[in-house]
Amino acid sequence: MRLAFSRSLGRSRLGKGLLAAVLIAPLTMAGTAHADSPSNSARKLVRAVKGENVKRHLKVLDLIGKANGNTRVDGTRGYALSRDYVASVLRLAGYKVTIQPFEFEFEGYKTPPVLKRTAPEPKSFAHVTEFHEVGASSAGTVTAPVQAVDVVLPPPATPGSTSGCEASDFAGFTAGNIALVQRGTCDFALKVANAVAAGASAVIIFNEGQPGRTTARVNPGIGENVPVPVFFTSFAVGDELASKPGTTVSLSFDKLVETRTTSNVIAESLWGRGDNVVVAGAHLDSVQEGPGINDNGSGVGGVLEVALQMAKHKTGNKVRFGFWGGEEFGLLGSQYYVDHLSEQDKANIALYLNFDMIASPNFVYQVYDGDGDVFGVPGPEGSARIEKDFQSFYASRGLQSKASEFDGRSDYKAFIDAGIPGGGLFTGAEKVKTAEEAAIWGGTAGIEYDPCYHAPCDTIKNIDDTALDVNSDAIAMLMGTYAFDTEAVNGIHAPGKAHKAAATRAAVVHDHHDKVELS
């Protein structure tokens, strides 16, 4: 059967490899959908969704990343090939597939940012894991002495550094030097503004040093139109730069901002009632820094495998699968999709399930806090039941799960803001695993759930196979259940029963995906 790959994809060596990957995967040969009982269908679906087949999709995405500069970021060939792969196997399985393009503002760099010490002992620091550029700052290349500004070393027991918070902190600062300031009690923007006013040629902010405040995984809010390059580093890097007299640093940020086009992939069943659609989704893009195989090839693979296996079952409700572009630039694809639905289209969506990072190497099984009993922010009516059903799945396997903040950091945000019941799974990103969590789920306490989060090392080697398998089964169980019966979530069961109007749903407003930290 001829697949819908682009000509450029099909003619390339990579395109042939992807084509072979599709053809050797028996899961794509779905055949004609047939009716089945709801409970029997869900059980069959779980049995059919195997971790090894999910991982085949991840291997294809990894191959795409490797062949395209180690990235699948929006607006690149790596993303286009990822889109074509997903769309092609879904078409082959019998779904109606729509490509939904949209424009966005790409913010990144032409070449990877550089931070290195040139004296007294030359040393290069690792992008992402040890430092990263702050996107709101200006481009530039600077080589100059580092001058520490009122830093507190060793750090205080509790956050309390006022480094750079007062203009007087820069008394005696040599114009043209690189200002080294410490995270602390005042806004990052104030520290940077004071440094610029003192004549700093660049600013390096380092994490303060207390437990939980040591990594480079911070997104500082520094304001707008900052005229110099600004980098954020781990505490270890900052401590090292501050502790060696005569330190000179060279840094470079080759900034790129331009309008690009990316797209969503939407696949919908040809069967099932269209006024009670069950939707599952995962973001398809990676960051520029890496191929994004856990973030979020893992969610894509799980949802894609479930979709392919569901094509063998004629469900009572229509099912729809969304693979979103632009997530890493602020949840753009899912928001674009929801914004372009009519009010009736929104009312026809029974629920939305989101899967973003489901196989972190140092994982914890986390379920979005739909009822808000842990973090105090519930989702729309019905979200509590989704959370409970995921918890019941884990319990049926003898596994523990914990609540994850329903804080708007992933693609469920647009749906719950529209009042659509939502839920999903998450195995952790940049936060550090506690000793209590390690005792329950294994792994290593004191390191991040995903040490390769948003980093070049987020490759096929960055996947925990057990978490991938278990969570793919969880997707299958809930999709297999809700595809026939959503009564516990939205009151819809028997054919002809009226759907809740979108106007009756309570929209819940959440913070932006990229939480900007002020201090």
Side-chain angles (χ1 to χ4, degrees):
M1 183 180 293
R2 186 170 180 267
L3 302 184
F5 284 102
S6 67
R7 290 183 179 180
S8 61
L9 171 60
R11 289 175 179 173
S12 68
R13 178 180 297 179
L14 178 60
K16 293 177 182 178
L18 296 183
L19 182 61
V22 174
L23 294 177
I24 65 172
L27 53 97
T28 63
M29 300 303 184
T32 303
H34 61 272
D36 206 345
S37 69
S39 59
N40 191 39
S41 180
R43 289 194 297 269
K44 284 183 177 180
L45 185 61
V46 172
R47 288 196 296 269
V49 173
K50 300 182 185 302
E52 62 191 44
N53 288 336
V54 177
K55 199 165 185 180
R56 289 182 182 181
H57 302 304
L58 274 61
K59 290 178 178 178
V60 173
L61 296 177
D62 188 58
L63 175 64
I64 290 172
K66 286 179 179 177
N68 291 280
N70 201 43
T71 187
R72 297 183 305 102
V73 70
D74 293 277
T76 65
R77 186 170 182 267
Y79 185 83
L81 294 182
S82 302
R83 175 203 63 207
D84 290 349
Y85 171 71
V86 168
S88 295
V89 295
L90 288 166
R91 287 194 183 103
L92 182 61
Y95 288 98
K96 176 186 176 182
V97 176
T98 302
I99 305 298
Q100 184 182 42
F102 60 92
E103 289 188 342
F104 73 105
E105 186 175 78
F106 177 90
E107 295 186 15
Y109 46 80
K110 298 175 185 177
T111 56
V114 172
L115 176 63
K116 59 185 178 181
R117 185 177 63 217
T118 57
E121 301 167 1
K123 180 179 180 179
S124 294
F125 299 101
H127 185 219
V128 181
T129 55
E130 291 187 300
F131 82 94
H132 66 85
E133 72 287 358
V134 180
S137 69
S138 293
T141 298
V142 176
T143 299
V146 169
Q147 187 168 346
V149 178
D150 195 29
V151 301
V152 182
L153 297 173
T158 58
S161 171
T162 61
S163 168
C165 294
E166 304 288 342
S168 58
D169 292 344
F170 291 86
F173 185 84
T174 301
N177 281 357
I178 297 172
L180 178 67
V181 296
Q182 188 175 18
R183 182 185 186 182
T185 57
C186 68
D187 289 356
F188 291 118
L190 179 58
K191 295 174 184 288
V192 172
N194 286 335
V196 170
S201 58
V203 182
I204 297 174
I205 309 169
F206 68 100
N207 216 337
E208 191 169 4
Q210 299 85 10
R213 292 166 72 92
T214 60
T215 75
R217 310 284 194 178
V218 175
N219 180 23
I222 63 169
E224 299 179 357
N225 302 317
V226 176
V228 301
V230 180
F231 283 11
F232 189 89
T233 79
S234 67
F235 171 76
V237 170
D239 185 34
E240 188 172 342
L241 295 179
S243 301
K244 290 184 179 294
T247 293
T248 300
V249 159
S250 179
L251 58 81
S252 177
F253 179 23
D254 191 10
K255 189 173 183 176
L256 175 64
V257 178
E258 63 184 14
T259 299
R260 292 185 177 182
T261 299
T262 189
S263 53
N264 298 321
V265 179
I266 312 297
E268 185 171 271
S269 65
L270 303 180
W271 54 89
R273 56 184 295 175
D275 65 342
N276 199 44
V277 184
V278 176
V279 186
H283 77 85
L284 184 56
D285 59 323
S286 75
V287 293
Q288 187 174 7
E289 288 79 8
I293 303 306
N294 184 41
D295 181 19
N296 182 39
S298 61
V300 168
V303 172
L304 182 57
E305 168 74 356
V306 168
L308 296 177
Q309 293 297 344
M310 286 196 81
K312 302 175 184 178
H313 301 270
K314 190 172 183 180
T315 59
N317 295 317
K318 189 176 287 292
V319 291
R320 188 179 300 155
F321 301 93
F323 299 88
W324 315 117
E327 192 269 356
E328 298 292 0
F329 291 90
L331 313 179
L332 302 180
S334 53
Q335 189 67 60
Y336 185 88
Y337 173 75
V338 173
D339 285 347
H340 286 76
L341 295 174
S342 68
E343 289 305 309
Q344 187 58 55
D345 289 336
K346 294 175 188 175
N348 288 341
I349 296 177
L351 57 92
Y352 174 72
L353 304 180
N354 191 73
F355 303 99
D356 189 352
M357 300 181 69
I358 66 169
S360 302
N362 199 29
F363 71 89
V364 169
Y365 292 128
Q366 299 183 75
V367 179
Y368 293 137
D369 185 23
D371 60 11
D373 67 339
V374 177
F375 296 102
V377 183
E381 183 180 353
S383 303
R385 180 56 192 239
I386 295 172
E387 179 188 10
K388 181 179 179 181
D389 287 346
F390 274 124
Q391 291 169 337
S392 296
F393 167 81
Y394 287 119
S396 73
R397 297 283 181 96
L399 300 170
Q400 292 190 52
S401 60
K402 64 175 290 187
S404 177
E405 288 184 84
F406 217 17
D407 59 0
R409 285 191 67 186
S410 195
D411 288 299
Y412 57 79
K413 183 179 188 297
F415 291 88
I416 64 175
D417 282 355
I420 297 168
L425 305 177
F426 178 53
T427 52
E430 77 277 17
K431 292 184 178 179
V432 171
K433 192 173 214 175
T434 67
E436 293 78 10
E437 290 170 339
I440 296 170
W441 291 283
T444 305
I447 67 170
E448 298 162 318
Y449 298 128
D450 183 356
C452 289
Y453 174 64
H454 284 187
C457 56
D458 188 10
T459 67
I460 196 67
K461 296 179 181 179
N462 192 46
I463 294 296
D464 186 276
D465 290 342
T466 297
L468 184 68
D469 188 24
V470 168
N471 283 332
S472 296
D473 285 351
I475 300 172
M477 177 57 75
L478 268 68
M479 284 298 291
T481 299
Y482 297 150
F484 287 96
D485 186 2
T486 62
E487 185 171 16
V489 176
N490 69 346
I492 304 295
H493 176 62
K497 194 170 183 179
H499 195 291
K500 289 184 178 180
T504 67
R505 293 167 168 164
V508 179
V509 178
H510 291 267
D511 294 333
H512 189 273
H513 157 70
D514 287 321
K515 287 185 172 180
V516 175
E517 300 186 53
L518 299 178
S519 62

